[in-house]
């Protein structure tokens, strides 16, 4: 049954903080062996220890997924450790918005590399194993959940490249959904609104810029997104949830 995550194997990126961390803990609590991936080794080790102290299983892998070789290594280490891969959650992301003349092109490159290339590389490396698991595991289905943003649904001033990466994630997820639907790999894009994570700390003034556009809102919590991801991947095999938009109630 798809709603049983016992003994499944999940890779979660961006797991050192925020939404990725919350998702990893949630899936581990549901019975998954969780491979937690990010660039901050100590935070990953702390997360793995917390999961294991709560009777879960976690494998921390420090990696820079903007390298295709690193993405392949993450999948290879996962298969070496657990022998299978059932779930992939691409939650790594960075937001460096601002005036398009003043913003260094390196910031744009960082968003493209982390938000899009890393997701692409890891998904490609994972797909053969996800397909195999969908044929062999008890759930008879595998899942890929890509964390996008409401910025992947509408564009805004000074958010050009961040929005471009998130529009691309939404488009790629839908194309992959169509490509792999009959092979029982479910693809879902989750598009959160303002969430209390480090994302708005990546650049001074991000919170103020958001408030100028939308006003002050009661932010979503990372656990809100994690609970949604758990609902998606534990849905019955017959049911594919393709797209979820989650906004704070008072975010217009």
């Amino acid at each position: 049954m798809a709603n049983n995550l016992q003994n499944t194997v999940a890779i979660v990126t961006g797991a050192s903080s925020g939404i990725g961390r919350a998702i990893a803990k949630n899936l581990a609590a549901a019975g998954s062996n969780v491979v937690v991936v990010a660039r901050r080794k100590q935070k990953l080790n702390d997360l793995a220890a917390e999961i294991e102290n709560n009777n879960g299983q976690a494998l921390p892998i420090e990696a820079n997924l903007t390298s295709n070789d690193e993405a392949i290594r993450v999948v290879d280490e996962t298969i070496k450790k657990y022998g299978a891969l059932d779930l992939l959650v691409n939650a790594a992301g960075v937001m460096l918005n601002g005036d398009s003349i003043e913003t260094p092109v390196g910031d744009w490159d960082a968003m493209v590399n982390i938000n899009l290339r890393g997701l692409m590389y890891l998904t490609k490396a994972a797909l053969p194993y996800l397909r195999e698991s969908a044929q062999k595991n008890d759930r008879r289905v595998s899942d890929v959940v890509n964390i996008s943003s409401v910025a992947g649904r509408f564009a805004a001033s000074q958010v050009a490249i961040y929005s471009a990466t998130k529009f691309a994630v939404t488009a790629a997820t839908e194309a992959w959904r169509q490509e792999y639907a009959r092979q029982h790999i479910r693809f879902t894009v989750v598009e959160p609104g303002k969430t209390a994570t480090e994302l708005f700390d990546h650049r001074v003034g991000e919170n103020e810029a958001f408030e100028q556009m939308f006003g002050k809102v009661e932010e979503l919590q990372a656990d809100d997104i994690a609970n949604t991801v758990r609902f998606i991947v534990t849905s019955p095999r017959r049911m594919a949830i393709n797209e979820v938009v989650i906004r704070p109630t008072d975010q217009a």
Side-chain angles (χ1 to χ4, degrees):
M1 296 292 292
N3 61 0
N4 183 3
L5 296 186
Q6 290 295 324
N7 301 317
T8 59
V9 180
I11 294 176
V12 181
T13 72
S16 59
S17 67
I19 290 172
R21 185 177 188 276
I23 291 169
K25 291 172 61 178
N26 200 311
L27 296 182
S32 279
N33 300 300
V34 181
V35 179
V36 292
V37 183
R39 291 181 291 182
R40 293 181 287 184
K41 184 177 181 179
Q42 187 56 55
K43 286 184 175 291
L44 287 179
N45 290 340
D46 292 344
L47 172 59
E50 181 178 348
I51 289 171
E52 290 174 356
N53 287 338
N54 286 288
N55 301 313
Q57 294 291 323
L59 172 65
I61 300 180
E62 178 189 10
N64 181 349
L65 295 175
T66 64
S67 160
N68 186 46
D69 289 342
E70 286 282 272
I72 293 169
R73 177 177 66 83
V74 167
V75 174
D76 286 348
E77 290 191 20
T78 299
I79 299 303
K80 182 178 179 180
K81 173 72 173 179
Y82 294 113
L85 177 60
D86 305 286
L87 310 168
L88 170 61
V89 182
N90 287 300
V94 64
M95 183 171 68
L96 300 168
N97 296 326
D99 180 276
S100 294
I101 294 175
E102 301 298 330
T103 298
V105 72
D107 288 355
W108 288 1
D109 288 339
M111 288 188 284
V112 171
N113 289 336
I114 295 169
N115 299 353
L116 184 56
R117 290 185 190 275
L119 179 148
M120 290 163 44
Y121 295 153
L122 191 55
T123 300
K124 183 173 179 60
L127 273 168
Y129 300 100
L130 293 165
R131 181 171 58 187
E132 182 179 0
S133 287
Q135 295 168 352
K136 295 181 178 179
N137 66 23
D138 292 339
R139 301 167 70 244
R140 306 298 290 173
V141 70
S142 295
D143 285 279
V144 179
V145 180
N146 293 326
I147 306 301
S148 181
S149 168
V150 293
R153 295 178 62 83
F154 67 91
S157 174
Q158 300 194 4
V159 190
I161 306 308
Y162 181 73
S163 280
T165 64
K166 294 304 185 178
F167 268 83
V169 167
T170 298
T173 305
E174 170 58 17
W176 282 323
R177 183 196 70 78
Q178 295 179 30
E179 186 173 357
Y180 290 100
R182 293 190 180 276
Q183 298 179 56
H184 302 129
I185 305 174
R186 300 185 296 198
F187 275 85
T188 307
V189 63
V190 177
E191 299 158 326
K194 194 168 193 292
T195 307
T197 71
E198 292 181 4
L199 190 67
F200 281 85
D201 298 331
H202 291 165
R203 168 158 289 162
V204 174
E206 288 285 7
N207 276 297
E208 292 77 7
F210 180 92
E211 289 178 8
Q212 286 180 2
M213 287 187 191
F214 303 106
K216 289 187 177 182
V217 301
E218 181 182 358
E219 297 172 312
L220 299 169
Q221 298 300 305
D223 283 339
D224 298 329
I225 313 306
N227 290 334
T228 302
V229 171
R230 182 167 172 173
F231 173 73
I232 290 165
V233 302
T234 58
S235 295
R237 179 181 182 271
R238 65 180 179 274
M239 176 176 154
I241 301 170
N242 306 142
E243 182 176 13
V244 180
V245 181
I246 312 172
R247 287 187 177 91
T249 298
D250 50 358
Q251 180 178 335

